[in-house]
Amino acid sequence: MEKTIIKDKLNRPLRDLRISVIDRCNFRCQYCMPADQFGDDFEFLPKSALLTYEEIERLAKIFVHLGVEKIRLTGGEPLLRRDLPLLVEKLSHIEGLQDIALTTNGVLLPKVASKLKSAGLKRVNVSLDTLNDELFGEINGRGVGTKPVLEGIEAAKEAGLGVKINMVVKKGLNDSEIIPMADFCKKNGLELRFIEYMDVGSSNGWKMDDVISKKEIYQMLKEHYQLESRDPAYYGEVAKLYHYNDTDVNVGFISSVSESFCSSCTRSRLSANGQIFTCLFNGNGHDIRNFMRNGATDEELRDRITSIWSGRNDRYSDERTEETAKTRKKIEMSYIGG
Ligand code: SF4
């Protein structure tokens, strides 16, 4: 299939698509779905509002035609969506799509890792912010210890999936876990990515003072390990990577607060209810679900997506201040994943 490369107003091509398949999660993490705001009576999307697998497949084909090479499935917690391997299998048959990955809290991986692998999934990113059971239970808002997540990581490895670990670092909360997590991941051959704490959505009460920068974490690591910088593997790679020079294990940093990378951001996001977002911090979604359900042809869908991407000029992380964090209308992360 001949691809059409489309570019936004800042000349950035469309390369990546993150698809949220569900807005529910079995955790209530402080960073994205705090328990006090997502209580038992919180109304999540009804099933009819979610894009079906057939709708996701149809849109994914069009996105790939417009330049997308990688798709990442997110949530909420994507493994809560029934029969997810069916969707992975549908996506894996799309000509021109090079990579399918998944971001998960890992708890359900023992049940589905091998099915996901057989369906065509290549990689998983598992969120784990500490190895301390008590602290982990506090962060996930459900009192769940690390055991089910560690079992999930093992299951993914055994199934032959690539595994990376995402650790969001918040000052005063889990910064004491930086070295234990680095030790654990290095020993187990897992690539760890330190993610600077961000003002996603409007429910996590973010303050600049809570951020530990990439530079600070790097200095801590340098006291324990010898690190060598790695070149980016492709244009727009989000993580700045290093490797421990006595191993081939990488460690990375996602420094969207201290060293923003908007100028090479090639990601579009599709929410569970079929809205396209052109930035993690842009609260204005563009409906595509109803347009599709009202009978739009593939060509009309292609034109709509092209027009949305062509009008994009988002560069929120370049412009972030304490003020924008409080005042800018943003989409909750449970709708579009990280
Ligand atoms: S702030 Fe928006 S434009 Fe900038 S890197 Fe993040 S998602 Fe991309």
Side-chain angles (χ1 to χ4, degrees):
M1 180 177 53
E2 187 79 9
K3 287 200 182 201
T4 312
I5 303 299
I6 55 172
K7 295 200 171 169
D8 69 8
K9 283 189 167 168
L10 303 177
N11 211 27
R12 297 168 295 189
L14 172 62
R15 290 259 174 86
D16 308 86
L17 177 63
R18 299 203 170 189
I19 303 175
S20 167
V21 294
I22 194 165
D23 61 333
R24 289 161 202 264
C25 186
N26 39 357
F27 283 174
R28 288 292 178 274
C29 292
Q30 292 184 12
Y31 307 129
C32 57
M33 213 189 254
D36 57 341
Q37 289 170 58
F38 292 83
D40 291 340
D41 55 350
F42 185 83
E43 284 193 31
F44 288 98
L45 292 168
K47 194 171 171 223
S48 59
L50 300 178
L51 290 176
T52 65
Y53 286 172
E54 288 69 30
E55 288 171 334
I56 293 175
E57 181 189 19
R58 183 176 174 205
L59 289 173
K61 277 185 186 159
I62 294 169
F63 269 99
V64 169
H65 181 79
L66 293 173
V68 162
E69 294 168 349
K70 294 182 189 170
I71 288 181
R72 174 172 295 279
L73 301 176
T74 71
E77 169 47 50
L79 298 184
L80 288 180
R81 180 86 186 246
R82 189 185 280 241
D83 297 328
L84 193 70
L86 284 181
L87 175 64
V88 172
E89 195 180 348
K90 284 179 188 296
L91 298 177
S92 72
H93 290 122
I94 297 178
E95 197 187 323
L97 181 62
Q98 295 171 12
D99 192 18
I100 308 173
L102 173 89
T103 299
T104 171
N105 62 29
V107 171
L108 295 171
L109 278 172
K111 282 194 183 148
V112 288
S114 55
K115 285 188 195 146
L116 289 167
K117 171 72 181 170
S118 309
L121 190 76
K122 304 233 166 66
R123 302 178 288 118
V124 289
N125 283 44
V126 179
S127 306
L128 180 64
D129 300 324
T130 171
L131 291 166
N132 176 307
D133 282 321
E134 203 177 316
L135 180 57
F136 188 61
E138 197 185 306
I139 291 174
N140 65 50
R142 290 288 200 227
V144 177
T146 58
K147 189 165 176 266
V149 180
L150 298 177
E151 287 171 354
I153 292 169
E154 264 321 295
K157 281 168 75 177
E158 274 168 28
L161 292 165
V163 183
K164 291 177 186 166
I165 308 298
N166 290 346
M167 175 182 179
V168 176
V169 184
K170 183 177 176 188
K171 194 178 281 178
L173 181 71
N174 64 339
D175 41 338
S176 59
E177 287 292 295
I178 289 171
I179 300 303
M181 283 287 291
D183 269 343
F184 170 80
C185 291
K186 181 171 181 262
K187 226 175 270 165
N188 287 282
L190 297 163
E191 183 173 312
L192 172 62
R193 286 156 176 239
F194 293 104
I195 301 175
E196 288 179 351
Y197 178 50
M198 288 183 283
D199 50 323
V200 284
S202 47
S203 51
N204 75 355
W206 181 89
K207 295 192 297 308
M208 194 70 92
D209 281 352
D210 292 333
V211 178
I212 302 219
S213 68
K214 175 212 157 186
K215 207 170 156 191
E216 290 171 279
I217 300 172
Y218 178 76
Q219 285 309 332
M220 288 183 209
L221 293 183
K222 283 288 274 183
E223 285 171 22
H224 293 78
Y225 317 104
Q226 291 199 318
L227 297 171
E228 276 173 35
S229 173
R230 291 193 82 122
D231 290 334
Y234 54 89
Y235 172 82
E237 185 168 37
V238 169
K240 172 71 189 137
L241 290 182
Y242 294 80
H243 75 271
Y244 300 103
N245 75 351
D246 52 342
T247 69
D248 57 0
V249 181
N250 288 341
V251 59
F253 300 87
I254 301 188
S255 55
S256 34
V257 178
S258 69
E259 293 172 22
S260 57
F261 37 78
C262 297
S263 61
S264 59
C265 177
T266 57
R267 278 178 302 288
S268 181
R269 293 175 158 85
L270 181 61
S271 69
N273 61 349
Q275 292 197 300
I276 293 175
F277 290 86
T278 53
C279 173
L280 181 54
F281 302 92
N282 184 335
N284 299 315
H286 305 264
D287 168 69
I288 198 88
R289 182 198 65 192
N290 293 342
F291 187 52
M292 179 167 50
R293 288 185 183 172
N294 287 334
T297 63
D298 281 1
E299 202 180 352
E300 285 167 335
L301 289 168
R302 206 157 40 231
D303 289 348
R304 170 73 63 102
I305 295 168
T306 302
S307 138
I308 293 167
W309 190 260
S310 309
R312 175 191 195 237
N313 60 3
D314 302 287
R315 42 190 293 274
Y316 177 78
S317 286
D318 285 351
E319 298 163 338
R320 175 188 286 109
T321 62
E322 289 258 348
E323 203 45 37
T324 60
K326 279 192 219 124
T327 55
R328 191 79 65 95
K329 178 186 163 222
K330 291 177 246 149
I331 180 76
E332 292 302 329
M333 208 161 134
S334 54
Y335 274 107
I336 50 170

